[in-house]
Amino acid sequence: MTKLPLLLPLLLLCLVSFTTGEIKNLKISSDPRAMILFERFGFTHTGQAAISVSSVSVISTLATPDPSRLGFFLLSEESLIQVLLELQQNPNFCVLDSKFINHLFTFRDLSPPPNSSFNRSYPVTSPNEYSLFFANCAPESKVSMDVRTELYNLDNQVKDYLSAGLTQLPTLYFLFSFVYFGFLGLWLYVCFNNKKSVHRIHMLMAALVVMKALNLVFAAEDKHYVKVTGTAHGWDVLFYIFQSIRVVLLFTVIVLIGTGWSFLKPFLQEREKKVLMIVIPLQVLANVASIVIGETGPFIRDWVTWNQVFLIVDIVCCCAIIFPIVWSIRSLRETSKTDGKAAKNLAKLTLFRQFYIVVIGYLYFTRIVVFALRTIAAYKYQWVANAAEEIASLAFYMVMFYMFRPVEKNEYFVLDDEEEEAAELALRDEEFEL
């Protein structure tokens, strides 16, 4: 068996964004993989990589493995391409012999049995983003070991456990949380001043802003404690709870607004209920996948599978929430032909078509553009992708809330009688095709 097919998935792993930098204690049990990716981390010129292994055992169906054929190393993304080329030229090539890797240690450096352990810290002299790998070049062998990794940068002799491109995240999330709390106050003020026009959907929208603000608060606390201590101290649990609630609530609000529930009609049709019954469980599954991805890491064997599950579920949900908006637009078009209220129907059609465009733009930006930013941005500026995502989300919330705000004389629903004839012409000429 060649090692190239075993290394190619690692190229995919290195393109996927995942949280790094925490102090991790991992257990590897009878693992036959030729390559195991543990972490990816952006080092400055003061970077340090501390690796500790213990309870090491290697079982082989062939001869006793050469301990120098098993070991740890750091690899930059630029060097990864060179290593792939080396393996392509010689499938039996051992990556530990490559001149493009930063050697850390091999099992030859382990203390003799029964201890079989090793512990050392390595300075990173060349600033860059590196991936920490374990390589097993011993054929037909399985490795078991306990591994402790501690990757960090020194800032005035203080350890910073967040990657060089993510160390600004605590401040970024705190700032956005304050913005959302201010947004919540403004929304409640608008609702209070227009009590007669407030519907249940507006209260649900307020709850969404609360969940978003709390999600950002706990995200900031999570990143702050990881930054200064290397562990989240339980803040990650609160972060995942409020993230799950927030995402489910966001998709629910989009679906309900798209159907016109509460302010256009007091009930949901059967097909609209089915959309909610599909979207909500799928979002729960997506959040489970997100937690597994965030709390484990690429060293587990099913990590790629969980990433694929998250991606597929997210795509399905993004497609599903578009249908209710399309149905509302088609329903309004049909109604406009029979009820004789051209001006009001034109306003509603305009509103829902604008909402359709806004939702499509938001989904495209947060799924495609943000991913592209994470991929192409230099490792020191990974926070820019997070900032762009939060700015896009805030803009989406502001536009959506403005479009469906509670006002007694909404320009979309109350038009003067003299505009009726112009509206009829517009409906006749404008097809509102999507």
Side-chain angles (χ1 to χ4, degrees):
M1 181 183 293
T2 65
K3 293 183 177 62
L4 182 57
L6 297 175
L7 189 57
L8 285 176
L10 300 178
L11 183 59
L12 171 64
L13 290 176
C14 286
L15 292 176
V16 176
S17 176
F18 55 91
T19 303
T20 61
E22 300 178 46
I23 298 174
K24 295 186 181 296
N25 294 284
L26 318 169
K27 188 175 184 64
I28 306 297
S29 299
S30 300
D31 199 318
R33 286 177 289 175
M35 300 282 290
I36 301 176
L37 172 61
F38 281 89
E39 290 190 65
R40 190 165 78 240
F41 192 82
F43 291 99
T44 65
H45 64 283
T46 60
Q48 295 281 329
I51 314 295
S52 174
V53 297
S54 58
S55 304
V56 178
S57 66
V58 183
I59 301 174
S60 175
T61 58
L62 303 178
T64 303
D66 182 354
S68 65
R69 299 289 83 187
L70 302 98
F72 286 80
F73 63 92
L74 292 173
L75 183 66
S76 65
E77 289 193 31
E78 297 85 351
S79 299
L80 175 61
I81 305 300
Q82 301 297 328
V83 170
L84 286 170
L85 291 175
E86 287 180 325
L87 283 168
Q88 188 175 20
Q89 296 169 1
N90 181 10
N92 295 318
F93 178 76
C94 178
V95 68
L96 293 173
D97 296 327
S98 174
K99 63 182 180 180
F100 297 104
I101 68 172
N102 290 9
H103 288 272
L104 297 181
F105 66 93
T106 66
F107 280 8
R108 187 180 293 278
D109 301 310
L110 299 178
S111 61
N115 294 324
S116 299
S117 61
F118 184 85
N119 184 8
R120 185 175 295 176
S121 179
Y122 300 87
V124 178
T125 57
S126 178
N128 206 336
E129 185 175 47
Y130 293 91
S131 298
L132 174 63
F133 283 99
F134 169 77
N136 178 5
C137 296
E140 302 296 328
S141 63
K142 297 181 179 180
V143 177
S144 298
M145 58 181 168
D146 294 332
V147 182
R148 184 180 189 275
T149 62
E150 187 176 348
L151 310 182
Y152 57 89
N153 295 306
L154 290 174
D155 184 10
N156 294 324
Q157 301 305 310
V158 176
K159 293 181 179 180
D160 183 349
Y161 290 96
L162 282 181
S163 180
L166 303 178
T167 189
Q168 299 86 355
L169 288 187
T171 302
L172 178 71
Y173 289 147
F174 268 126
L175 289 175
F176 273 100
S177 69
F178 288 130
V179 172
Y180 276 98
F181 278 121
F183 185 26
L184 174 63
L186 178 61
W187 180 250
L188 293 177
Y189 174 78
V190 171
C191 291
F192 180 79
N193 285 346
N194 298 274
K195 295 179 182 178
K196 295 181 180 180
S197 302
V198 171
H199 299 282
R200 286 173 291 174
I201 189 66
H202 296 125
M203 295 297 99
L204 205 58
M205 293 163 74
L208 173 60
V209 179
V210 172
M211 292 301 108
K212 176 64 176 178
L214 291 176
N215 180 213
L216 286 168
V217 168
F218 294 125
E221 288 291 343
D222 177 28
K223 296 301 181 186
H224 171 72
Y225 275 92
V226 169
K227 176 184 173 74
V228 298
T229 68
T231 57
H233 290 275
W235 287 103
D236 53 342
V237 176
L238 291 171
F239 165 69
Y240 287 122
I241 289 173
F242 282 96
Q243 175 179 263
S244 301
I245 297 173
R246 189 264 306 173
V247 173
V248 171
L249 198 55
L250 173 61
F251 277 79
T252 302
V253 166
I254 292 175
V255 170
L256 292 177
I257 288 178
T259 62
W261 175 78
S262 185
F263 59 86
L264 287 185
K265 57 186 181 182
F267 59 88
L268 294 177
Q269 296 177 354
E270 195 63 33
R271 63 181 181 181
E272 295 163 350
K273 292 178 181 178
K274 289 180 180 178
V275 171
L276 280 176
M277 291 172 63
I278 292 172
V279 168
I280 293 177
L282 283 178
Q283 277 303 308
V284 173
L285 176 60
N287 283 303
V288 171
S290 175
I291 293 171
V292 172
I293 293 168
E295 288 301 298
T296 55
F299 71 93
I300 64 170
R301 302 182 193 183
D302 298 326
W303 197 78
V304 173
T305 302
W306 280 109
N307 270 282
Q308 292 171 339
V309 168
F310 177 78
L311 179 62
I312 292 171
V313 169
D314 193 51
I315 291 174
V316 171
C317 288
C318 290
C319 294
I321 64 174
I322 296 300
F323 286 107
I325 308 175
V326 176
W327 294 337
S328 292
I329 292 175
R330 289 178 178 175
S331 176
L332 287 169
R333 278 191 55 78
E334 292 299 319
T335 303
S336 67
K337 298 176 182 178
T338 59
D339 67 357
K341 298 178 180 179
K344 183 175 288 189
N345 288 323
L346 175 62
K348 293 176 182 178
L349 280 168
T350 301
L351 175 64
F352 277 89
R353 188 173 67 166
Q354 290 173 349
F355 183 56
Y356 173 85
I357 294 171
V358 169
V359 171
I360 292 292
Y362 168 71
L363 295 176
Y364 176 82
F365 190 92
T366 54
R367 269 65 181 178
I368 306 299
V369 177
V370 171
F371 176 79
L373 284 174
R374 287 198 174 101
T375 304
I376 64 177
Y379 78 97
K380 290 183 179 180
Y381 303 103
Q382 288 293 310
W383 62 271
V384 172
N386 298 81
E389 184 174 13
E390 293 303 330
I391 291 172
S393 297
L394 179 60
F396 174 71
Y397 278 60
M398 293 176 67
V399 172
M400 178 174 67
F401 279 54
Y402 177 79
M403 291 173 68
F404 296 95
R405 67 195 184 281
V407 288
E408 292 186 16
K409 292 186 177 181
N410 194 315
E411 60 181 303
Y412 289 112
F413 301 127
V414 181
L415 297 177
D416 296 333
D417 292 337
E418 57 265 24
E419 297 181 15
E420 189 73 20
E421 185 177 347
E424 289 178 357
L425 292 174
L427 282 172
R428 193 177 303 122
D429 296 334
E430 177 60 70
E431 294 298 327
F432 283 91
E433 295 296 339
L434 302 176

